[in-house]
């Protein structure tokens, strides 16, 4: 009976194309369980259409049929409906209760930057990169020393002369490391390793994380659902918040796919609760992107051409924000002008319509000439004004407005900061507030930038910094603006999804200290290559705007690898034969998961015909899952253990990093 039911169920699932690989041969058991958990309407309709399935796995409550989810998932597990590599996970010991370890975790250990494409477990995504990136999700009871500080290796200082050995780590008078740092390694573990030195010291954290779209240039394994992505973000946001200074800012760039969920998550982490008058959420900023790009018009509903900045303060009352001014055309809502500004007694100022004064010097037709009007407003900015009704004026300003209304003329509201003039019952804003001087001393008419940014072009940025990256790369001008409004020179900026290094490159040119973390090696397009170009005087991006001529330096180091090295060897293997040769080395030199049945795997499973028929990517995932995730890198506390093979210099500089020796 059970076998017949299994066959019946198997045929039923064949009708749902979502559940199968592109050849239609292998069932995605993880997705099936996820759809059952979510009570997917299409799947339920399939089940209810079959009389036997309906009778066995549904209970009728009134006129409603309720799915027995636990019983159905147990049936799936017992009968191994997936017919794929997951049944070997059970044989090796990579199961916990009725769920795989990778389905029930609290910490997402690995996740690549969104420019990368996964090969392992992929379906129809184009293969643009060579990495197969293994992601592991760990439950609380599996996390032992995961977040202990890690040792660092490969310390190298990059200057205009090239790469050289680090002789010492520079520190400020407060003892804080004053080096630009590029750290290669898992960003979650690296963030925890930064905590001792940089907790409360970072002024700005900007990240451009994976967007979890499933269709941008990042391909996701089928079990990377909303919950896994949010767990991944939560792990990192929590420790990142601890690194922020009290007046620090965190800015996350995201598209609309996860915007709503991310906002809820960040509200929780940053203690934002409007009903309880807690507000560390600062602003949404909408950023115009992909102008004229082909993918702008591929959305089935309407062109998709915006991304978003979610801005949070560590402490809203302590936050620091510097207004951003952008060049603007003349604002003709400023329609009044003072005829006698030289008069000391403001109550005697005479006011006329601006056109009347304009036509004393220019032709009537010149009012349509933008250049002439611009020049007129620029020259007379101190006497051109508009009158406005402010929202919720205080008692003092309100009294001054009332006074000017009664006398049908001028009044003044005096305060510690600049006084406010009022005219005929309204507050006055002079056009001189729209004149600003840039860093080169040039004055121009500007407007204060709001929460809609449409003026930064994204076209033609793929080669900025001398590195080529198509998709996911952000304009240097965008990062310049973010850094301008949030930091001062020499303050510290952190980007733990560094990718091609835009944040670090812009911070370097703008005289800020920076820390960048990235796990992947982008080869000739790596952030280290880009920063070397910056030091040599790279003239792309914002270089001309800030007068960049080159110079400066940064220190590169890697988290000292342990099982991470084993993972890299597994991913590099070209065949099952290479994996078999590696297994002995894995067992002897590296750390395997405590519940892995090594003997069973070594003597039986590798030689099974079914295992040999699995795709190489699936075979690799099994090898990877045997590695103990607590031992991916060398803990700082074990730096002297000879079996880990750390060089004396690496030990010394790891000690210098943590202890200042």
């Amino acid at each position: 009976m059970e076998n017949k039911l299994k066959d019946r169920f198997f045929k039923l699932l064949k009708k749902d194309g979502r559940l199968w690989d592109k050849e239609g041969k292998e069932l995605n058991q993880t997705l099936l369980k996820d759809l059952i958990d979510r009570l997917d309407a299409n799947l339920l309709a399939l089940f209810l259409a079959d009389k036997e399935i309906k009778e066995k796995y549904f209970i009728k409550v009134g006129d409603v049929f309720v799915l027995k989810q636990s019983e159905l998932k147990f049936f799936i597990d017992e009968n191994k409906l997936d017919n794929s590599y997951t049944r070997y996970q059970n044989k090796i010991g990579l199961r916990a209760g009725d769920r795989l370890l990778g389905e029930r975790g609290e910490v997402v250990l690995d996740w690549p930057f969104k420019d990368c494409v996964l090969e392992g477990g992929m379906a129809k995504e184009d293969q643009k990169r060579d990495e197969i990136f293994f992601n592991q999700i760990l439950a609380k009871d599996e996390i032992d020393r995961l977040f202990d500080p890690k040792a660092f290796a490969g310390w190298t200082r990059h200057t205009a002369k090239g790469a050289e050995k680090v002789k010492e780590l520079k520190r400020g008078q407060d003892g804080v490391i004053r080096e630009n740092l590029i750290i290669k390694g898992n960003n979650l573990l690296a963030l925890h390793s930064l905590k001792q030195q940089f907790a409360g010291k970072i002024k700005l954290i900007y990240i451009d994380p994976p967007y979890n779209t499933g269709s941008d240039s990042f391909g996701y394994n089928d079990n990377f659902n909303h919950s896994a992505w949010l767990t991944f973000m939560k792990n990192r946001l929590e420790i990142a918040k601890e690194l922020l200074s009290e007046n620090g800012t965190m800015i996350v760039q995201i598209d609309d796919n996860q915007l709503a969920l991310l906002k809820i998550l960040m509200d929780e982490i940053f203690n934002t609760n409007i009903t309880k008058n807690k507000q560390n959420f600062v602003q949404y900023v909408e950023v115009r992107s992909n102008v004229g790009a082909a993918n702008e018009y591929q959305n089935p509903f309407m062109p998709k051409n915006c991304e978003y900045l979610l801005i949070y303060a560590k402490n809203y009352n302590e936050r620091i924000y510097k207004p951003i001014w952008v060049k603007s055309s003349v604002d003709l809502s400023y329609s009044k002008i003072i005829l006698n500004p030289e008069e000391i007694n403001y109550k005697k100022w005479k006011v006329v319509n601006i056109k009347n004064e304009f036509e004393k010097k220019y032709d009537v037709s010149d009012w349509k000439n933008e250049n002439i009007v611009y020049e007129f407003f620029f020259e007379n900015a101190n006497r051109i004004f508009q009158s406005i009704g402010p929202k919720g004026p205080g008692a003092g300003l309100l009294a001054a407005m009332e006074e000017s209304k009664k006398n049908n003329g001028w009044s003044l509201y005096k305060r510690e900061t600049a006084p406010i003039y009022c005219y005929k019952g309204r507050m006055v804003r002079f056009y001189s507030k729209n004149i600003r001087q840039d860093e080169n001393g040039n004055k121009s008419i500007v407007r204060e930038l709001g929460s809609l940014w449409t003026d930064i072009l994204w076209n033609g940025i793929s080669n900025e910094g001398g590195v080529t990256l198509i998709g996911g790369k952000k304009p240097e001008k965008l990062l310049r603006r973010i850094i301008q409004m949030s930091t001062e020179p020499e303050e510290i900026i952190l980007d733990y999804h560094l990718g091609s290094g835009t944040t670090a490159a812009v911070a370097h040119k703008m005289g800020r200290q920076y820390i960048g973390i990235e796990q992947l090696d982008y080869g000739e397009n790596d952030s280290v290559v880009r920063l070397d170009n910056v030091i040599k005087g790279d003239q792309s991006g914002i270089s001309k705007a800030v007068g960049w001529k080159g110079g400066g330096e940064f220190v590169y180091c890697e988290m000292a690898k342990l099982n991470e090295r084993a993972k890299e060897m597994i991913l590099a293997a070209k065949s099952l034969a290479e994996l078999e040769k590696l297994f002995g080395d894995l067992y002897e030199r590296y750390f395997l998961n405590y519940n892995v049945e090594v003997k069973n795997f070594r003597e039986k499973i590798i030689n099974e015909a079914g295992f040999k028929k699995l795709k190489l990517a699936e075979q690799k995932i099994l090898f990877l899952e045997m590695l103990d995730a607590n031992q991916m890198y060398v803990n700082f506390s074990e730096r002297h253990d000879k079996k880990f093979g750390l060089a004396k210099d690496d030990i010394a500089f790891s000690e210098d990093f943590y202890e200042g020796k």
Side-chain angles (χ1 to χ4, degrees), residues 90-227:
N90 187 40
K91 289 188 176 185
I92 301 170
L94 291 171
R95 290 181 76 86
D98 65 343
R99 304 189 71 186
L100 300 179
L101 294 180
E103 295 178 80
R104 64 182 192 91
E106 298 285 341
V107 172
V108 181
L109 182 58
D110 294 327
W111 201 300
F113 187 75
K114 74 189 204 70
D115 300 316
C116 174
V117 171
L118 290 171
E119 287 184 345
M122 287 298 90
K124 300 177 182 178
E125 189 73 23
D126 292 336
Q127 301 302 304
K128 298 170 186 167
R129 295 185 66 85
D130 297 329
E131 290 93 343
I132 299 173
F133 209 101
F134 173 63
N135 298 269
Q136 187 161 355
I137 306 174
L138 302 178
K140 284 184 179 179
D141 57 357
E142 295 150 13
I143 300 170
D144 181 9
R145 300 179 300 157
L146 189 65
F147 297 149
D148 285 355
K150 307 303 176 193
F152 294 100
W155 294 86
T156 311
R157 185 178 300 279
H158 291 247
T159 70
K161 296 178 181 179
E164 57 189 44
K165 285 186 177 181
V166 174
K167 296 179 180 178
E168 64 175 345
L169 291 178
K170 300 172 185 175
R171 294 178 181 270
Q173 292 183 349
D174 56 0
V176 176
I177 292 173
R178 292 295 172 185
E179 299 275 12
N180 296 321
L181 296 172
I182 299 298
I183 300 172
K184 187 75 68 159
N186 179 275
N187 59 9
L188 176 61
L189 307 188
L191 286 170
H192 280 274
S193 294
L194 290 174
K195 184 177 177 180
Q196 183 176 317
Q197 275 294 308
F198 293 100
K201 302 293 193 302
I202 308 294
K203 185 64 175 295
L204 168 66
I205 299 176
Y206 165 86
I207 58 169
D208 175 32
Y211 287 3
N212 199 26
T213 63
S215 60
D216 61 4
S217 59
F218 185 100
Y220 293 85
N221 283 333
D222 295 320
N223 61 342
F224 292 168
N225 50 28
H226 288 308
S227 59

Side-chain angles (χ1 to χ4, degrees), residues 419-430:
I420 297 176
Y421 289 93
C422 298
Y423 181 70
K424 292 186 177 181
R426 294 167 69 83
M427 185 179 88
V428 164
R429 179 183 171 91
F430 286 97

